[in-house]
Amino acid sequence: MRKIVPQNPLNKKIAVEDESRSVAFGKAPAPVPYTSETNIYLVGMRASGKTTLGKLLAQKLSRPFLDTDDVFVEQHGQSIADFVAANGWGAFRDAEAEILRSVSKSKGQVISTGGGMVLRQENRELMHRSGPVFYLYAEVPVLVQRLQADPLQDQRPSLAHSSLEDDLRAAFAERESLYLGVAHFVLPAVESLQDTLADALDKLQLLARVRK
Ligand SMILES: Nc1ncnc2c1ncn2[C@@H]1O[C@H](COP(=O)(O)OP(=O)(O)O)[C@@H](O)[C@H]1O
Ligand SMILES: O=C(O)C1=C[C@@H](OP(=O)(O)O)[C@@H](O)[C@H](O)C1
Ligand SMILES: [Mg+2]
């Protein structure tokens, strides 16, 4: 068995499972049996790369890709920013939970979630019991940099009407334990996309082998 030596910033919270790739198992119990029919979920903060990595992963695995924010916009015919301005965040969280319930009924997809999907216990339980959950972990300064470069304000209206950095810090403080709690794997989201993709594929191969 591989020696478990914590070596990255996550080491205070979880055991690092694979030193060479610095990918860690989260605190959550093992995921459901993994087959080509199992959905794969990506969770994490805004701009951690869920949508970008999810598309790559789906392509590599020849699976359908789905982003819960895209489904929201298709269903509502308006941007998240406009919807939240008119109806508030609570209404968005209701709609987001309904989307997750609905899309998770289909099988074998890679599902990138919006950053706040973990806020509802119902969502966390659903994801956790229906497929492997990857938490894309990045620290706030990295997220700030990415959001300044590519804000997508229609998709990501301010959460608390504070500065971008304060918004992210408050969200990170509230959500970090939720991400860690729901995740079966934690992927440092600051590596190159190709490295992060390789990490995720390694972990899925491991799950496929465990099943046999
Ligand atoms: N590993 C990475 N390294 C550098 N930039 C990245 C990485 N992953 C994503 N990005 C960039 O960060 C921004 C947010 O990515 P996105 O996939 O939309 O994140 P999310 O869906 O988690 O909000 C995009 O501009 C994307 O190109
Ligand atoms: O962090 C959040 O609460 C949100 C993140 C966004 O998705 P991304 O994480 O894909 O940016 C989007 O769902 C919405 O603006 C809420
Ligand atoms: Mg996204």
Side-chain angles (χ1 to χ4, degrees), residues 41 75 87 102 111-113 121 144 153 160 165 169 182-183:
Y41 297 93
Q75 282 185 0
N87 306 288
S102 157
I111 301 177
S112 294
T113 62
Q121 186 180 356
V144 170
Q153 272 164 349
E165 185 163 352
R169 283 201 188 287
V182 72

Side-chain angles (χ1 to χ4, degrees), residues 43-54 67 69 112-115 136 142-143 146-147 149-150 152 155-156 188-194 196:
V43 302
M45 290 285 289
R46 298 172 159 202
S48 57
K50 304 176 296 294
T51 301
T52 311
L53 185 74
D67 188 290
D69 288 340
S112 294
T113 62
L136 292 192
V142 171
L143 303 172
R146 288 186 192 165
L147 287 175
D150 184 11
L152 288 186
Q155 181 192 307
R156 305 184 185 110
V190 290
E191 310 291 342
S192 77
L193 278 166
Q194 285 312 316
T196 313

